[in-house]
Structure formats: C-alpha cells, structure tokens
Amino acid sequence: MKLSRRTFLKGVGAGGGALATTRFFTDGPQTLVAKTTAGAALKEELVPTACWIGKQDCGIVARKIGGRVVKLEGMPEHPRNLGTLCPKGVGQISALYDPNRVKTPLIRTNEKGATGRWRKASWDEALSLVAAKVQEVRAKDPKLVLWQKGRSKSEELYDEAFVDAIGASKLGHGAFCSDAGYRACEYTIGIKGVLHPDLRNARYVLAWGWNITGAGGNKLCWITWPRELVAARERGLKVVAIDPRRRPSGPHADEWLPIKPATDLALALSLSNALIARGSIDREYLTRYTNAPYLVKGDGAFLRIDGKEQVWDARVKAAKPHDAAGVAPALDGAFTVDGEKVRTAFTVLKEHIAPYTPEWAAEICGVPAEAIRRIARDLADNAMIGATVRRDGLDLPLRPVGVMFYHAAQQELGFQATRAILLAFMLLGAVGAVGGVFSDFKWKINENYEKLDHIEIKDPPYDIALKDSKFFPINSKSPAVAAVAMLDPEKFGVEKIPEVVIVHMANPVVSFPNTEVIKAAYHKFKFVTVISPWLSETADLFADVVLPAATMEKYEGPIKAGDAYTDASTLRLPIMEPLGESRGEIDIYLDLTERLGVLFGEGGYLSHINETLELSGAQALSLDRKPAVREIFDHWAKANHIDEGIAYFEEHGVKVKGPLAAKDVYGYGMEPAFGGALHRLYGESLLGYQHGMKAKGAEQIYWQDYTPLPTWRAPTMEGSPAQYDLYLISYKLVENKQSRSSFMPLLAELAPRQHIDVNPATAARHGIRDGDEAWVESHNAVTGETARVKARAHYTEAIRPDTIGMPHHFGLWVHPGAKGQGPTPNTLFPTGAGYVTNTADQSFHVKVRIYKA
C-alpha cells in the first residue's frame, strides 16, 4: 500500500509510543519536555548533523523525543542553508523509519538477472563471503576488483583510502553529471568545477541551462544559489535564461531564450564573434595571463625554440621566449620567423570564429541574431573592462558579468561547449575577476591542469574505462563507456574485465544511461556486492550479497560547509542508532579490510586514512588497532585545530571559520596571479591528442572534437531519420535527488509520477491530449537501435515546440512506494560512439518521436 504524507505521520506517531497524544510544556527556561497521556515525561534532544540525501550537505537539527526522531529542521548557523531546508531535507525523515529498508545482510538464493530471492545472513557470514570473493580475485590482479560509487560523502575514506588499500579499479557517476565541464575548466583555467557567477558582485548573468529556482548549480544542490540570486536581483542584477525549457525561472530572469538542444557551442562561438567585432576585449588579461600571444605555426603547433614557446616581442620585432625578461608580447599579428609563417594564437582564434556570426548561429540554435548581438553588447557594457575595485586591501579587476553553466555540460559537445563559453568570458577578462566567472570557491590550481596537458596515449590493453586510450585520452571514467567496452572487449583493446564489483550507494541499472547496456554489462560480473539502505534495482537483479547501509544514522565527512563566500566545515553525525542491523559504510570498510588483511600496518586502510585526512604526529591513527569511526573524526577535528575535537561538532554542528579572503576567491588576488597557471585560450595539446589518436587507428567519431579551438559540428543525433522529429531532454526536480528518493512518501506526494513535457501545438500535431498516455521512442543515429517508454503527456508552453522533456528521477520498481511512478528516460539515451565524446561523458540529448499509446 502506498503511504500518503498523512498516513506516514500517523504511523510515526503510533510507532513512537503514544506520541499522537503527547502534550508539551516548558520544563525550565530551555528544556522542552513532552508528556504522554500516561504522564511519563519524555525529554527532547536536539542533535546536529548534515543532510544525507542532498548534494550540498545542509546543516540539520534532528528533534528527538523519547529517543525517536520526530522532525528535521534547518541549522541556522550553517552557511549553506541558514536554517532552511528543501523538500528533500524535510522528507528524508521517512528514510529513517522506512519499513522497506534492508535491515540485515542478505544473500541471494536464485539466479542473477531475475528478481532476487534472499535469505538473511549475519554480518560475519556476509562479510566473510564478500572478503573471500574479493581476496580470490585480488590474488590474480587487484584491478579485477571494481568499486563503483554513486554518492560518496567521505571521499577521503571511500574513494581514496579504501580503494587504494584494496588496490581496486574505480568508477564514479561524474561522467553523467558535469565532468565534461570539470575537465574543460581544469584544462583551460586550472581549477576544479564547472562555471558559476560571483553573484554578490555581478551585474549581468547568463543562466545557461540553470534551473534557477528548481535545482542547484555548480557544487551546490539547492537553497544557496537561489538565495544569492534573489539578493542579487534586489541589487539590480539582470539575468538572461538560455534553455530549451523555461524551467521555473519566473520573475528571476529578465528574458528567456529557448535555444535548440545541443547547440550551446554554436551560440557561445557566435558570442565571441560578436564581442571581437565590437572590440570588447581585455587585451591586458589576454596578453599577460593566457597563451593568446603564443606563436602558432601552420601545422597548429606552437613555435618553440630550444623547447620554449615563442611570442612576438613588439619592441624588438622578433620572436622571444614567452617568459623572457622584459618581453612585450604582441597579441595580434602574423609574422615570419626563420622563414616560417606564424600567427599569434589570438589571431588564429579571430580567424577561426570569423564564420561563426550571429546570423550563422541563429540558423542553428534558434536564437535570433539580434538577440545574440544584444547579449554580446550587454556583456561588453556590463563587463566594465579596465575597472578595478578594492577587496581586502587588494586592487582587483572588476568584471561583473558571469554565467552558470553546470548541467548544460551534460551534452555530446559538453567539453568544447564549456571551453567556448569560457573563451567569451576570457575575451572580457572576467575569469577570476570580482563579479566574474569561477569554477570553484577557492582559486586553487588542480593537479589536472598539468595532467590534462601531458597525456600519453597508450597502446592496448586498456582498462574498461578506456583511460589514456586512443578512444578517450581525456577521460572521466564513465560507467557507460566501461559497459560498452565490457560487451565488446576485443574492439576496444580491453584484456581484463573486472570479476568482482562493490557497488557503493549507486543504482546503475536505473540511474545511468543506457539502462539495457548497463544491465548487459552487469551480467558479466562474477560476484556483485551492493551497499545500500534499500534493495535497489541493481541489487534486485544482480547482487550476490546486499550489505544494509545506514542513512542519517552514521558518521561521514569531512564535509565542506561553506558557500561561495564563507569558509566552513562540518561532519555528518548519527542522529540515532542504525535501523535494524544496518551500518555506516566506514564501519563496513573497517571490518572488510580487516578480513582482507589490509586494515593494519603500512599500506593498510588505516595508513591510507592517515594520508588522505592528513593525520600526523599525535593525531595519526595507530596502525595496529581498529578505531571506532567517531575516534577517526575526533583525530581529524583536532588535526584541524579544533581543540574540542568531534565534541565541537556534536555541540555546534558546523565550524564557521569566517569569510573567504579575496586572495583565496579571486584568481587575480593570488600571488602570483592565478597561481601562475597560464590560461589556455588555445589548446595545442588537444590537437596533439587528435594526431596521436589518428596515428593509433582511432575512428573519426572519436578524434573529431579534439581541436585546439572549439569547432562546431552537428550533433550525432541529427543523423536520425526524419520521423524522429523531436529532441528529448531530461531535467531534475527540486523534490527529488537523482533516482534515490522518489519512493519517500513526503516527496512522492509532491512529485508523484513521470510525465512528458510537451508543447500543446506539438502534442496536437501528434494527436495527443493533455494527460494522455503516450510513447516516446528514441533512435540511435549510429547503430539504428530504438527504445521506447510510456508516460503521461503534460501540456506546457514553457518548452520549445521541437523539444520534449522528462524528469530524471523515476523508473524504480523494487520499493513499494515507487510502484506506478513510471519509467526513467535513461532507457532512451544511447551510450556509445557519438553520444559519448571527448571526455567519455554522456550526452542527455537524443532524437525521438512521440505517439499516442
């Protein structure tokens, strides 16, 4: 039976020992006391923790009466949510007491690939079985053990320490999130993240694929960015929304430009064209802080003499090393050096984008040419090139124009689209300036800045993620790519396929495209362990062992708690004892590594924890004794100069260190500026990777987008037959988080089922009325394969007539609360060549047709 919010709350009351008949009174000035009708006093406890279900780990205070959690409230002191909670934050209380949670370890009793049948097991039996299977495979090759994560809120202890201790391979979910944007920013400007604006100082912002009030943005889940946006709007910020779907932008955007799906690269290139045509260029930034003055030869490579990249010294009229003392680099121009014709990288850029006019882009992306020119003009006018402002005693460039481009990176050309948007803001000098563009909250150079510029494209054999391969040299370790490689290892030069997989809080067969490909790959694993609070669909079909994880009843961290302007940290603290026999994942890994013989000593799990948490001296964990998890975080807190240790977080919930300094936030504020990382306007190494891929025999579909400057081409999906006349996009709802919350009663009441957003004119043309059941059928333009799902049509004018949309979060079938909610659109998105490009990141665009069911 489905639980409504009202029925659920009744159940909580009944289960809490007559709480439904509780009356409250004040017992002293601070203590709230409850009395049952029988007269027994129940004292209230307030337990601080961090949100478990959301991405940004908002501060939560759990109210407990008689030891039972009765309400979750926002923590006022937490910088990210300031006492507020979104529907997910409030609704996750149902996860604690969900009667459908897995309460004991389970061992499968039937064949895999079918609905699971299970027997209960003790932790000792289950962990011994998992350890035996893992050890058997590790003896052959540790990389034949795969650790696959979904959510990971203790990255240092999970992704790093545990994986390193057992020597496993690793797959994440970032290739389905925004890793194309991450890699583009790491490669181009050196810092980790996608793109977000400095909302407290911006005057003009492009909300590019940003679900302004219905989702999060770069690095944050919800609440924080909308709060900053509302405050900025009150200060006069102008916002232009660029998206095929209007999303719930309402009064928070001044204009909506309904761009055609997957054409963001074309629009971004045309903006740079218009900015250069206007002469709206920050020449000082381009000359001093980018490789725009580097001299480029006819073959696309930089001119080097004695290994040094050369610039044209405008004073002496000769080529000089770019870092020569007193050099005055020319930004524009074509020159001859030792008989060879060269041009500056900036000149190459200007020539490259000359055809990408607003009129050209209008034909491709559906945004009028006059609107493109207006945006370029407004960007230029608001950028205030040449202006400075004083922050923390520093005079910094002021360029109050920005962009939020987080989820828009989830497309076939996402890496180059992100680079193209960066190029436009580089022309304005807005990268790292006050009011400008950022991709992290602190300007810290990521190790990938160098790594991504010096990739060695190797010969086979490759791992299943095809990292450093001729197919995906820049690589986000996509599980979809791994699945494709596992199904055709000979084609992709894969010699070894993992035999054992530990699935950590992930549900790949539902939440990752293409669901059928993922399922087929999972058939190849010999042994599957799933760690999850619920029996997931992946567990239902493929798990040999299910280990029940806790939800909010565990320790996790360390967790960043600051917003874009505040430095803070927190921990997830257990708000009650784990339900049934469930355990926190750190407890599970301590026990598992002990059974594997890799817990103690140098190179063991504990030594890796010391390394990843930077525990040394008196705060280093002993390597010959298994600690309690609370003890681990007590050592971490004290190592971070919190004298009270974990007791501080148990009392206060969050450690707010104060405002971030200008030297940490703004790239210009560093010494040297931008940490000495020269911004790559021209991506010479990308061209080098293309040459290397060709030399090793890769097909064009893999190397075609490795270009030094973003280059437009039609997306792969445009090769589908004419009857597939619509674009499908997916999106996120504020009520849900990925595919792990739709069954929670309070959230299911707000967002009860899957639907198809369709423009009324489009629906009428296809004979579909509002509320009708309709089929959506997708087509893979490379393989010709089709897939279809059925859901209800939902009329809306807030979407382009050539586009339909479906939210991401549904498609579950195991939990009773998810039954009847409808399918996931992940069934419809192809995985493979064309739909997965540069960085092995998944496209969430495909051509479809729609017809009445």
Side-chain angles (χ1 to χ4, degrees):
M1 166 177 133
K2 269 195 166 181
L3 294 176
S4 69
R5 176 175 58 87
R6 193 168 290 107
T7 306
F8 169 77
L9 292 175
K10 285 181 181 177
V12 170
L19 286 181
T21 59
T22 296
R23 59 189 177 87
F24 293 92
F25 67 96
T26 301
D27 183 20
Q30 300 295 328
T31 307
L32 188 67
V33 175
K35 280 194 175 183
T36 68
T37 50
L42 300 175
K43 284 193 176 183
E44 180 187 58
E45 299 174 76
L46 301 178
V47 183
T49 190
C51 178
W52 170 77
I53 199 168
K55 175 181 176 180
Q56 72 176 45
D57 306 296
C58 288
I60 282 181
V61 177
R63 289 186 174 269
K64 298 175 68 176
I65 297 177
R68 187 174 183 85
V69 179
V70 297
K71 188 180 182 183
L72 302 176
E73 299 174 348
M75 186 186 297
E77 301 83 5
H78 198 290
R80 290 188 174 177
N81 60 311
L82 299 179
T84 60
L85 287 178
C86 76
K88 297 184 289 291
V90 174
Q92 67 188 307
I93 191 171
S94 62
L96 290 171
Y97 299 111
D98 187 345
N100 297 288
R101 276 181 58 176
V102 179
K103 300 180 184 68
T104 65
L106 301 175
I107 294 177
R108 180 180 288 272
T109 62
N110 66 326
E111 73 285 354
K112 289 193 281 190
T115 296
R117 294 196 294 271
W118 311 92
R119 66 174 179 85
K120 295 180 181 179
S122 67
W123 273 101
D124 183 66
E125 180 188 11
L127 283 174
S128 295
L129 175 58
V130 173
K133 295 294 184 181
V134 171
Q135 197 69 304
E136 178 185 332
V137 173
R138 286 183 75 240
K140 293 187 288 185
D141 184 346
K143 293 302 180 184
L144 294 179
V145 178
L146 178 67
W147 185 80
Q148 183 165 15
K149 75 169 183 176
R151 66 191 310 277
S152 176
K153 295 299 186 173
S154 269
E155 185 172 337
E156 292 88 347
L157 282 81
Y158 301 155
D159 307 44
E160 298 173 26
F162 175 70
V163 172
D164 289 346
I166 67 172
S169 303
K170 181 175 71 173
L171 291 176
H173 76 281
F176 306 124
C177 189
S178 300
D179 273 10
Y182 271 65
R183 301 295 88 81
C185 290
E186 290 159 0
Y187 177 80
T188 307
I189 60 175
I191 60 175
K192 190 176 184 68
V194 187
L195 294 172
H196 70 260
D198 178 8
L199 283 172
R200 291 192 183 176
N201 297 288
R203 295 175 45 171
Y204 187 89
V205 165
L206 302 179
W208 206 318
W210 181 23
N211 199 351
I212 292 177
T213 59
N218 184 34
K219 295 186 177 286
L220 298 173
C221 173
W222 200 60
I223 296 180
T224 308
W225 285 129
R227 183 182 72 234
E228 295 287 357
L229 174 71
V230 169
R233 292 285 286 169
E234 291 174 351
R235 293 190 298 268
L237 174 72
K238 183 174 181 179
V239 177
V240 176
I242 302 172
D243 199 292
R245 179 175 166 267
R246 190 170 64 215
R247 303 183 186 260
S249 54
H252 304 291
D254 298 276
E255 185 177 8
W256 171 42
L257 298 178
I259 188 173
K260 183 185 293 186
T263 63
D264 308 272
L265 173 56
L267 178 58
L269 289 169
S270 69
L271 284 177
S272 288
N273 176 291
L275 288 170
I276 289 176
R278 287 178 54 86
S280 304
I281 306 300
D282 188 333
R283 301 182 69 88
E284 181 180 4
Y285 160 77
L286 292 170
T287 303
R288 293 184 61 186
Y289 302 116
T290 81
N291 63 8
Y294 281 20
L295 298 177
V296 180
K297 301 185 294 181
D299 62 2
F302 290 137
L303 174 67
R304 291 181 175 85
I305 298 176
D306 297 329
K308 283 277 189 179
E309 295 88 353
Q310 302 291 298
V311 297
W312 186 259
D313 191 324
R315 285 185 293 197
V316 300
K317 310 296 186 199
K320 294 286 184 181
H322 69 94
D323 57 355
V327 69
L331 183 61
D332 300 274
F335 312 98
T336 301
V337 179
D338 294 332
E340 183 165 19
K341 293 183 178 180
V342 293
R343 297 166 293 163
T344 67
F346 183 65
T347 299
V348 175
L349 170 68
K350 290 196 298 182
E351 294 173 1
H352 177 75
I353 65 170
Y356 297 141
T357 64
E359 287 74 18
W360 166 86
E363 291 294 319
I364 291 172
C365 64
V367 176
E370 58 270 23
I372 297 172
R373 285 200 167 85
R374 184 176 67 252
I375 294 171
R377 182 197 66 217
D378 290 346
L379 283 169
D381 290 347
N382 284 283
M384 302 169 61
I385 295 173
T388 60
V389 65
R390 196 159 183 81
R391 290 286 189 272
D392 293 346
L394 301 172
D395 291 317
L396 303 173
L398 174 65
R399 304 288 183 272
V401 291
V403 61
M404 183 74 82
F405 192 75
Y406 185 61
H407 289 115
Q410 298 170 316
Q411 57 175 293
E412 181 179 340
L413 292 161
F415 176 83
Q416 291 288 26
T418 304
R419 273 187 42 79
I421 291 163
L422 263 172
L423 286 177
F425 286 90
M426 289 168 75
L427 292 175
L428 297 167
V431 175
V434 177
V437 175
F438 306 83
S439 63
D440 205 347
F441 299 152
K442 289 186 178 180
W443 205 279
K444 179 181 178 182
I445 304 305
N446 185 268
E447 61 182 11
N448 273 342
Y449 173 74
E450 287 296 336
K451 284 184 177 180
L452 295 177
D453 198 45
H454 297 95
I455 292 172
E456 178 188 354
I457 302 175
K458 298 176 181 177
D459 292 313
Y462 304 128
D463 65 21
I464 58 169
L466 304 183
K467 184 172 172 55
D468 298 330
S469 71
K470 66 181 181 181
F471 303 101
F472 300 105
I474 296 180
N475 196 292
S476 290
K477 290 194 171 182
S478 165
V481 167
V484 170
M486 287 172 63
L487 296 177
D488 194 354
E490 185 175 348
K491 173 181 177 180
F492 293 102
V494 173
E495 191 173 72
K496 297 180 180 179
I497 294 176
E499 298 178 12
V500 170
V501 60
I502 300 171
V503 183
H504 174 109
M505 294 297 295
N507 194 5
V509 303
V510 172
S511 58
F512 299 163
N514 170 330
T515 56
E516 295 307 312
V517 169
I518 297 290
K519 289 177 186 177
Y522 259 75
H523 275 287
K524 292 208 163 194
F525 292 122
K526 295 179 180 179
F527 189 83
V528 177
T529 301
V530 171
I531 302 173
S532 174
W534 292 275
L535 192 65
S536 69
E537 284 63 28
T538 302
D540 184 46
L541 293 178
F542 298 108
D544 294 281
V545 174
V546 178
L547 302 178
T551 60
M552 300 183 74
E553 322 102 289
K554 62 190 173 191
Y555 294 96
E556 282 187 315
I559 297 171
K560 294 178 181 178
D563 55 18
Y565 305 97
T566 309
D567 195 3
S569 60
T570 190
L571 295 171
R572 180 166 294 105
L573 304 174
I575 62 175
M576 57 182 269
E577 288 298 312
L579 185 72
E581 296 180 27
S582 62
R583 296 182 181 180
E585 291 93 316
I586 302 172
D587 283 298
I588 294 172
Y589 291 148
L590 286 168
D591 287 347
L592 182 56
T593 53
E594 184 176 29
R595 280 173 167 78
L596 290 170
V598 293
L599 173 61
F600 304 115
E602 291 296 333
Y605 185 37
L606 295 175
S607 70
H608 282 291
I609 291 175
N610 281 338
E611 181 181 349
T612 58
L613 292 184
E614 299 180 358
L615 305 180
S616 60
Q619 298 311 326
L621 299 173
S622 171
L623 301 186
D624 58 5
R625 181 181 63 83
K626 182 163 66 173
V629 179
R630 183 182 183 277
E631 182 183 351
I632 295 173
F633 289 115
D634 188 57
H635 281 249
W636 168 81
K638 290 174 180 175
N640 282 271
H641 311 293
I642 302 173
D643 294 339
E644 305 94 320
I646 196 172
Y648 180 92
F649 293 98
E650 291 169 338
E651 180 178 355
H652 302 285
V654 63
K655 177 68 173 178
V656 180
K657 301 174 186 176
L660 288 168
K663 66 181 178 61
D664 294 324
V665 175
Y666 302 107
Y668 279 105
M670 298 181 73
E671 184 57 47
F674 303 108
L678 202 67
H679 295 168
R680 296 185 179 109
L681 176 138
Y682 186 86
E684 182 206 30
S685 54
L686 300 178
L687 181 61
Y689 301 154
Q690 181 188 115
H691 294 328
M693 295 164 79
K694 285 181 180 179
K696 292 186 181 296
E699 301 169 69
Q700 180 175 342
I701 202 165
Y702 295 104
W703 57 252
Q704 61 188 346
D705 298 314
Y706 281 87
T707 54
L709 294 168
T711 303
W712 171 255
R713 66 166 174 81
T716 298
M717 63 180 173
E718 296 294 359
S720 289
Q723 64 264 35
Y724 295 92
D725 58 336
L726 300 173
Y727 299 95
L728 172 66
I729 60 173
S730 70
Y731 59 91
K732 298 183 178 181
L733 299 170
V734 68
E735 293 87 355
N736 282 312
K737 181 62 178 174
Q738 296 174 346
S739 59
R740 59 174 179 260
S741 62
S742 68
F743 52 79
M744 294 182 185
L746 280 74
L747 303 179
E749 190 169 333
L750 296 172
R753 67 181 63 85
Q754 182 60 274
H755 61 271
I756 307 163
D757 286 330
V758 58
N759 191 287
T762 302
R765 192 169 70 248
H766 290 80
I768 297 169
R769 294 174 298 179
D770 191 25
D772 278 353
E773 292 279 323
W775 288 104
V776 178
E777 180 181 291
S778 67
H779 179 268
N780 185 324
V782 176
T783 67
E785 295 170 297
T786 62
R788 68 175 189 168
V789 300
K790 183 170 64 174
R792 292 183 185 178
H794 168 243
Y795 276 16
T796 176
E797 297 280 357
I799 196 165
R800 284 177 58 96
D802 60 1
T803 303
I804 61 172
M806 297 177 70
H808 162 79
H809 314 280
F810 302 102
L812 308 178
W813 67 76
V814 177
H815 194 290
K819 293 190 183 300
Q821 290 183 336
T824 171
N826 285 335
T827 302
L828 303 174
F829 295 115
T831 285
Y835 293 90
V836 177
T837 54
N838 278 76
T839 49
D841 287 85
Q842 176 71 41
S843 168
F844 286 84
H845 296 130
V846 66
K847 294 298 290 289
V848 299
R849 64 187 184 114
I850 185 171
Y851 50 94
K852 190 172 179 178

